[in-house]
Amino acid sequence: MNPVSLDPIVSQMTANLRDRNLRNPILIGIHTGGAWVAERLHAELALSSKLGTLDISFYRDDFSRVGLNPKVKSSDLPEGVEDRNIILVDDVLHTGRTIRAALNEIFSYGRPASVTLAVALERPGRELPIEASIVGKAIEPADKQQAQVTLKDNQLSYQLVDSSANAQST
Amino acid sequence: MARISPDQLRSLPPDSAIQFDSQGHLRHFLTISGVPREALTQILDTAESFMTFGEREIKKVPLLRGKTVVNLFFEASTRTRTTFELAAKRLSADVINMNAARMSTSKGETILDTVRTLEAMHTDLFVVRDSASGASHLIARHLPEYVRVINAGDGRHAHPTQAMLDMFTIRQKKGGFEGLKVAIIGDILHSRVARSQIHALATLGVDEIRVIGPRTLIPTEIESMGVTVTSNMSEGLRDIDVVMMLRLQRERMDGQLVPSEQEYFSQYGLTEEKLQVADTKAIVMHPGPINRGLEIASSVADGDRSVILSQVTNGIAVRMSIMATLMGGTEAVR
């Protein structure tokens, strides 16, 4: 399939987030796709708080099986999370394991007032009791397909691709 | 993680090859020699991500949760053991410190007996320091495949984690290794740090490595490692970018190898005056503990060029990175 633009999906998420009326929220995007989506949301929502990013590599539950992600980036939460309303953003919600890891990491920085999960795409296949409050679009890829979010020439889009044998679960 | 190819693995000398498993993954960290540039760079990159942990409310990650790390020190060391302990604890491992010199080995138990006893308690990672060269290799050879060993200094042979934290500090302050001129100064002969530093600097591709010290403290074969040797400080320090001082052990001060403390300081002690010929942005490093007024003047050790305290801070992140690198993906082996 051809890449599909995420722009209308992000606008939809923005509208839904506005409806929630969160007091002085901070946006945190999960590397790499979630950080891209969060950046768009941050601009559309015109938040005064700084955008945060998380790399959950050190919190993954498959470290002893697959080892460390060789391209681990630093997490950056410039605002601090204590008593704040957090909007946690990821590109694709699938097994829920990434979100579990992200929640653990956020709590190592402090105790937020609330965490709202916002994802651009969700697909079936949950392995943990985790659901998103804000969903841009629900998709149903075939078993061996993976939703891949890309940022190219400032175009944020997604496409369904055949997952490689060693793809990490999202 | 970066792994080496079967061809690379076959070309390594046995004391380096033992660090890799049959798939080419780094499984022990015993010597820098033979570890390819990509693997060293990856350790530095991962350490970068651990640097921000000091500012977190909870300074731990769960990577080594449920794992047991034994710091097995047959030779006294406070600084190195403390940073290894902190690194392991920040990775959520359980840590046991064994100052073995005062324990079993003094009752006649051999190193291997001690290690096997600890292994039977399901230790996952040993951090080993010993005054004998090759101690950590000996231990690595005799443990089951899933147990990891880090060399925290063996005799005059190697101190690879110290060299890696030095490399991290150089990259942090200089932005990279290309084009750099680096001088290593002092007692090269007895220094495991210098050997590991030379291997690391050469692998990471600095422009030039100079070794400076009295002829009596420079091993004769050292030039074969690709360094230039001089006993003249102003010649060796000219246009230098990085100055790596070594600790001069006072027990060498018996007049055989070094004339006297005053004589040594006047010739090889690092002073502001001697540094005048160095690059204006040159940095000064020292693995500690410092002998002020012997190998380095206090004004230099505490001065603007000194990055000695950064080395200490970086040591924790770098050791976390090395432990995480070795321990990742271990489940399949068990």
Side-chain angles (χ1 to χ4, degrees):
Chain A
M1 73 179 262
N2 290 321
V4 180
S5 170
L6 278 176
D7 290 349
I9 291 174
V10 170
S11 300
Q12 181 62 49
M13 293 170 78
T14 305
N16 293 349
L17 278 167
R18 282 221 177 88
D19 290 345
R20 296 219 150 217
N21 272 325
L22 292 166
R23 186 181 48 82
N24 192 19
I26 47 178
L27 264 173
I28 298 176
I30 300 174
H31 274 301
T32 306
W36 294 332
V37 176
E39 207 175 306
R40 297 289 166 103
L41 288 172
H42 190 260
E44 290 204 16
L45 288 164
L47 294 180
S48 57
S49 59
K50 290 194 189 105
L51 180 65
T53 54
L54 278 186
D55 186 311
I56 54 105
S57 299
F58 297 140
Y59 293 80
R60 292 183 67 99
D61 56 15
D62 53 5
F63 167 72
S64 52
R65 280 198 230 167
V66 302
L68 213 48
N69 174 2
K71 294 194 184 100
V72 52
K73 300 187 175 66
S74 295
S75 294
D76 179 27
L77 301 184
E79 294 277 339
V81 303
E82 193 72 24
D83 284 332
R84 299 294 296 270
N85 291 307
I86 288 169
I87 303 167
L88 179 61
V89 182
D90 205 1
D91 51 356
V92 185
L93 176 60
H94 181 199
T95 63
R97 290 180 189 270
T98 298
I99 305 304
R100 197 281 308 164
L103 287 170
N104 280 26
E105 177 156 15
I106 287 170
F107 276 76
S108 73
Y109 284 87
R111 181 180 186 275
S114 71
V115 180
T116 302
L117 178 59
V119 298
L121 305 166
E122 76 154 8
R123 60 173 292 179
R126 223 69 78 239
E127 291 166 7
L128 295 172
I130 283 171
E131 294 302 335
S133 309
I134 309 286
V135 175
K137 186 181 180 186
I139 54 170
E140 295 206 10
D143 272 358
K144 284 181 181 151
Q145 278 189 323
Q146 195 185 4
Q148 194 176 64
V149 171
T150 53
L151 182 63
K152 208 173 171 186
D153 304 327
N154 210 30
Q155 271 300 310
L156 192 58
S157 51
Y158 82 96
Q159 58 183 325
L160 300 179
V161 295
D162 289 332
S163 40
S164 55
N166 57 358
Q168 295 178 328
S169 60
T170 52
Chain B
M1 296 302 296
R3 47 161 118 172
I4 65 170
S5 69
D7 282 345
Q8 280 177 307
L9 192 54
R10 271 191 294 276
S11 70
L12 289 179
D15 76 327
S16 179
I18 188 180
Q19 303 183 101
F20 299 90
D21 66 13
S22 52
Q23 269 92 53
H25 291 110
L26 196 59
R27 283 310 175 219
H28 305 293
F29 201 56
L30 309 177
T31 173
I32 305 265
S33 166
V35 181
R37 183 190 290 201
E38 307 80 69
L40 297 185
T41 303
Q42 206 167 297
I43 288 171
L44 299 180
D45 290 346
T46 303
E48 200 92 53
S49 337
F50 283 123
M51 282 298 286
T52 56
F53 279 67
E55 49 199 68
R56 297 191 184 190
E57 171 80 16
I58 295 169
K59 296 175 179 56
K60 282 187 182 228
V61 284
L63 286 180
L64 299 193
R65 194 169 55 174
K67 306 288 184 193
T68 305
V69 175
V70 172
N71 279 329
L72 193 54
F73 279 59
F74 295 103
E75 184 187 87
S77 153
T78 312
R79 183 186 298 237
T80 304
R81 187 187 54 66
T82 308
T83 52
F84 268 112
E85 183 176 356
L86 203 50
K89 285 181 169 170
R90 289 205 175 156
L91 293 170
S92 303
D94 296 312
V95 185
I96 299 167
N97 291 312
M98 303 271 297
N99 192 342
R102 280 186 236 128
M103 296 181 61
S104 308
T105 44
S106 52
K107 289 185 214 153
E109 200 177 340
T110 68
I111 289 183
L112 283 179
D113 283 335
T114 305
V115 169
R116 285 192 181 117
T117 307
L118 292 165
E119 200 279 312
M121 298 174 198
H122 301 290
T123 300
D124 298 284
L125 170 69
F126 285 99
V127 178
V128 182
R129 159 154 314 180
D130 194 63
S131 53
S133 299
S136 49
H137 282 80
L138 176 77
I139 291 169
R141 266 198 299 277
H142 287 86
L143 285 172
E145 212 186 322
Y146 56 83
V147 184
R148 308 280 177 252
V149 180
I150 294 176
N151 182 0
D154 61 330
R156 297 182 190 183
H157 173 245
H159 194 353
T161 64
Q162 174 69 44
M164 286 308 286
L165 76 88
D166 294 337
M167 297 308 113
F168 186 88
T169 309
I170 291 174
R171 199 176 76 164
Q172 182 184 49
K173 305 292 177 187
K174 290 288 173 190
F177 299 97
E178 211 171 303
L180 288 185
K181 297 180 176 64
V182 183
I184 304 173
I185 302 174
D187 180 2
I188 316 287
L189 183 64
H190 301 96
S191 177
R192 54 194 171 209
V193 175
R195 271 176 193 72
S196 290
Q197 285 170 338
I198 292 169
H199 282 304
L201 290 166
T203 305
L204 290 167
V206 297
D207 207 35
E208 192 184 345
I209 308 169
R210 301 177 199 163
V211 158
I212 314 174
R215 289 283 169 190
T216 47
L217 293 179
I218 294 179
T220 44
E221 84 290 3
I222 193 90
E223 270 140 331
S224 69
M225 292 178 81
V227 303
T228 53
V229 176
T230 176
S231 46
N232 180 320
M233 283 287 269
S234 65
E235 187 187 310
L237 286 173
R238 186 161 305 279
D239 301 325
I240 211 78
D241 299 296
V242 178
V243 183
M244 307 180 88
M245 301 303 297
L246 298 171
R247 176 179 154 76
L248 187 67
Q249 281 152 15
R250 286 185 190 268
E251 55 268 31
R252 315 276 180 226
M253 286 285 158
D254 56 3
Q256 297 284 316
L257 296 171
V258 176
S260 71
E261 293 198 9
Q262 291 84 345
E263 180 73 22
Y264 185 86
F265 183 72
S266 79
Q267 276 195 52
Y268 298 104
L270 192 65
T271 58
E272 298 286 359
E273 204 187 348
K274 291 198 186 95
L275 272 169
Q276 300 238 312
V277 295
D279 185 84
T280 49
K281 292 190 191 118
I283 57 170
V284 173
M285 308 173 70
H286 192 298
I290 305 171
N291 290 312
R292 289 166 185 270
L294 177 52
E295 70 251 358
I296 187 168
S298 275
S299 58
V300 176
D302 305 328
D304 293 343
R305 297 173 186 270
S306 167
V307 298
I308 296 171
L309 290 177
S310 297
Q311 289 175 269
V312 179
T313 308
N314 296 342
I316 299 167
V318 169
R319 286 174 173 129
M320 286 171 80
S321 168
I322 292 166
M323 287 181 177
T325 299
L326 301 183
M327 296 293 294
T330 53
E331 201 171 83
V333 185
R334 255 194 215 260

